[in-house]
Amino acid sequence: MDDGFGLFDSWIALLFLAGGVFLGLRWVWRLLCAKSCLHKAEARIDELKKRQDELSLAQQELAARLVKEIETTDGLRRQLKQQESALGAMHEQKMFVNWLRRAIAEALLDPTPFADAVGQLAACFPALNLQARHTEARRACGEDDLKVAVYMYTQHGPTDEDSCYMQLNRRLNCNDKGQRTPFTVLPLIPFITWVMRGMKEYGEPYKGTEPIYRGQAVSEEQWKEMHHKFVEEKEATWWGFLSGSTSKEQAEAYIRANLTPQKTMGIMFKTQNPTNAYDISKLSMFPNEQEVLMFPATSAHCVSVSGPNNGWVEIEMDGNPAV
């Protein structure tokens, strides 16, 4: 009997041991399953984080693209407004130059007496003391009003404010609509026509093959205002008289002499085949300048614009592109 109970106890112990092993294995299995699920969850979380980062990056790129498109749209809108403004200005300028040409043509047909023309100019520019200049020009040129007119045009004082040609052309070329209108320019027309007639009568028509050079010192602001006027393959018009020299060195020297802390840029115009151009060296107050003068409201074809290079701009024009 004792052996039977001992065997029974052994079986019971084995059963308990097997149960314990089973439970242990079961827990190990659960732990392994849990660990596997944990790894999968972590991988899923990493994947979700990666997708979230990608989504965030895509949102940032989309936002940047939208901002850029908005800026581009605003830029296009500003450009459109600028183009509309430029077209309006071009239309006004075309109307003005047509009026100026008609007014000059009419005045040439019916000239104002020279004394009256000088009086009207003196009323426009009282600081020039034109009566004294008139007397000086008479002494230099005699009684021929045509010669006197050209000489008076070239007279130069100590400053720009004392220069007849500077004041006259400044009024004609002024970008301020309030200063350059038919009402402000009309009193200048009689004297302008006397100068033009003097050029035609006593000046030598320029027929040379060499270009005409014109030097000009300007500020950066002045260049910003004028550069849109000179576009390659487009026509540009000067409102006032345009002077130049057959000597490039003379034009370069003029630029250097007029550069200042304010006027830091040099503009060199090179005009081929100039129209309505006359050599007025024999009529000028400064015959050594080899000056060639062109009529007001003269147009030319813009061939090329280079620069600014070290503050220097070169503009090539052609008065007759077909030549």
Side-chain angles (χ1 to χ4, degrees), residues 4-66:
F5 280 110
L7 183 61
F8 178 78
D9 289 339
S10 296
W11 280 103
I12 293 297
L14 287 172
L15 287 173
F16 274 107
L17 180 60
V21 172
F22 176 77
L23 290 174
L25 292 172
R26 186 179 178 183
W27 279 105
V28 171
W29 174 254
R30 287 183 176 180
L31 287 173
L32 291 174
C33 290
K35 189 174 182 180
S36 176
C37 290
L38 180 61
H39 285 316
K40 290 181 179 179
E42 289 176 347
R44 181 65 174 168
I45 290 172
D46 290 341
E47 183 180 353
L48 290 174
K49 286 183 177 179
K50 185 178 179 181
R51 289 185 179 180
Q52 185 178 10
D53 292 341
E54 291 175 350
L55 180 61
S56 177
L57 181 60
Q59 289 176 338
Q60 292 176 5
E61 291 177 351
L62 179 60
R65 191 181 305 168
L66 288 173

Side-chain angles (χ1 to χ4, degrees), residues 251-270:
E252 290 176 345
Y254 180 85
I255 292 176
R256 294 190 180 94
N258 286 274
L259 290 175
T260 66
Q262 292 75 34
K263 295 182 177 182
T264 58
M265 295 186 64
I267 314 296
M268 175 64 76
F269 293 95
K270 175 184 175 182

Side-chain angles (χ1 to χ4, degrees), residues 73-284:
T73 302
D74 290 342
L76 290 173
R77 189 179 293 113
R78 286 193 295 269
Q79 289 181 7
L80 182 60
K81 288 183 178 179
Q82 290 174 355
Q83 290 175 356
E84 290 176 349
S85 177
L87 287 173
M90 289 174 60
H91 180 67
E92 290 182 1
Q93 291 173 0
K94 188 174 182 179
M95 291 179 61
F96 178 81
V97 76
N98 288 337
W99 170 85
L100 180 60
R101 287 168 176 163
R102 288 196 305 270
I104 290 175
E106 292 172 0
L108 286 171
L109 292 174
D110 185 18
T112 300
F114 185 63
D116 294 342
V118 173
Q120 291 184 37
L121 189 68
C124 294
F125 307 115
L128 289 180
N129 191 14
L130 285 176
Q131 297 303 329
R133 291 172 183 260
H134 187 189
T135 301
E136 177 188 346
R138 289 284 181 204
R139 286 198 296 267
C141 303
E143 296 302 316
D144 193 317
D145 291 336
L146 295 177
K147 290 183 179 180
V148 170
V150 179
Y151 188 91
M152 287 183 66
Y153 171 83
T154 64
Q155 283 174 323
H156 196 296
T159 67
D160 288 347
E161 301 301 322
D162 300 319
S163 305
C164 181
Y165 66 86
M166 184 68 72
Q167 291 292 340
L168 184 65
N169 290 319
R170 182 180 293 174
R171 176 70 62 86
L172 290 170
N173 291 320
C174 181
N175 291 323
D176 188 342
K177 297 177 183 178
Q179 293 190 34
R180 192 187 67 193
T181 67
F183 297 103
T184 58
V185 172
L186 191 60
L188 311 180
I189 299 295
F191 185 79
I192 288 173
T193 55
W194 274 97
V195 176
M196 292 172 65
R197 290 169 59 207
M199 291 166 58
K200 292 186 69 174
E201 182 69 23
Y202 295 110
E204 297 181 8
Y206 186 75
K207 298 179 181 179
T209 57
E210 295 298 318
I212 301 300
Y213 296 95
R214 172 180 171 80
Q216 189 173 354
V218 299
S219 66
E220 291 185 6
E221 288 299 321
Q222 287 175 318
W223 171 242
K224 288 179 181 179
E225 291 178 359
M226 66 185 292
H227 83 276
H228 69 276
K229 182 178 178 180
F230 302 98
V231 180
E232 292 183 2
E233 305 303 324
K234 300 291 184 180
E235 188 180 76
T237 301
W238 287 273
W239 313 112
F241 287 97
L242 184 67
S243 65
S245 174
T246 55
S247 169
K248 184 177 182 180
E249 292 74 17
Q250 186 80 32
E252 290 176 345
Y254 180 85
I255 292 176
R256 294 190 180 94
N258 286 274
L259 290 175
T260 66
Q262 292 75 34
K263 295 182 177 182
T264 58
M265 295 186 64
I267 314 296
M268 175 64 76
F269 293 95
K270 175 184 175 182
T271 305
Q272 302 277 6
N273 308 308
T275 57
N276 295 323
Y278 294 85
D279 187 335
I280 62 168
S281 300
K282 296 179 181 179
L283 304 172
S284 173

Side-chain angles (χ1 to χ4, degrees), residues 277-322:
Y278 294 85
D279 187 335
I280 62 168
S281 300
K282 296 179 181 179
L283 304 172
S284 173
M285 185 178 181
F286 304 97
N288 294 330
E289 290 184 352
Q290 301 174 311
E291 183 176 4
V292 175
L293 193 62
M294 287 177 259
F295 285 172
T298 295
S299 298
H301 186 76
C302 183
V303 178
S304 65
V305 179
S306 60
N309 298 317
N310 297 322
W312 197 276
V313 178
E314 291 191 3
I315 301 175
E316 184 174 354
M317 310 292 293
D318 194 335
N320 188 359

